Amino acid sequence: PIFQGPQGPPGTVGVIPGVRATRQASGGQIINNGANGAVLYPTEDFDTDAMHSTSVNTSRLTINTAGIYQIEGFVQSGVTVPGQASLSISGSSAGLADPVPQGEYFSYDRATISATLKLSVADYIELWISNQSGASLQIWRSALSAVRLGAAV
């Protein structure tokens, strides 16, 4: 299985908590000019710790195992984004205050963002778009993933 490996006290083996929620090129979500919005994820590639729902709060990845997580986000619009539109990681965690990159701007038709965060049980993260591009932005493809790197120290 994906992400099979060591976890917990020395000598134990288990599945590392991880999730990858996705939006594919079908009826893309639209973020209007002058608006902000969380990217919605109707599907997932994998979810080893029940962190994502495809029916309730589909924008969120909710942490069920505390620890240090590597967060990766990607959005592609399908057309070159004029003006300024940016991508950021948002959510409910105090770990999001710093040093999360803010305002990762679209380059042509896509934007990526990553961060390593200390997250607690029930914290959630979302990928947000701030669209000041002068036109509506249609999300063609997107992914948001969280993989636990280890226990928080």
Side-chain angles (χ1 to χ4, degrees), residues 102-119:
Q102 296 294 319
E104 296 296 317
Y105 288 96
F106 276 71
S107 176
Y108 299 102
D109 68 341
R110 63 193 67 203
T112 60
I113 194 167
S114 66
T116 304
L117 301 172
K118 178 180 176 180
L119 298 171

Side-chain angles (χ1 to χ4, degrees), residues 31-39 81-88 102-106 127-135 137:
I31 307 292
N32 290 323
N33 179 53
N36 302 319
V39 180
V81 177
Q84 293 189 342
S86 63
L87 193 59
S88 62
Q102 296 294 319
E104 296 296 317
Y105 288 96
F106 276 71
L127 202 56
W128 274 75
I129 293 176
S130 174
N131 184 12
Q132 306 300 320
S133 69
L137 189 153

Side-chain angles (χ1 to χ4, degrees), residues 23-110:
R23 167 173 284 289
Q24 298 300 326
S26 60
Q29 177 184 349
I30 294 175
I31 307 292
N32 290 323
N33 179 53
N36 302 319
V39 180
L40 305 176
Y41 294 100
T43 59
E44 54 196 32
D45 290 344
F46 61 88
D47 187 352
T48 64
D49 200 25
M51 292 189 276
H52 178 255
S53 169
T54 57
S55 60
V56 178
N57 293 323
T58 63
S59 63
R60 295 180 180 183
L61 303 183
T62 303
I63 302 304
N64 292 316
T65 304
I68 305 297
Y69 281 80
Q70 180 63 36
I71 311 301
E72 303 286 337
F74 164 81
V75 172
Q76 183 177 11
S77 69
V79 296
T80 299
V81 177
Q84 293 189 342
S86 63
L87 193 59
S88 62
I89 297 170
S90 184
S92 68
S93 171
L96 293 173
D98 188 53
V100 176
Q102 296 294 319
E104 296 296 317
Y105 288 96
F106 276 71
S107 176
Y108 299 102
D109 68 341
R110 63 193 67 203

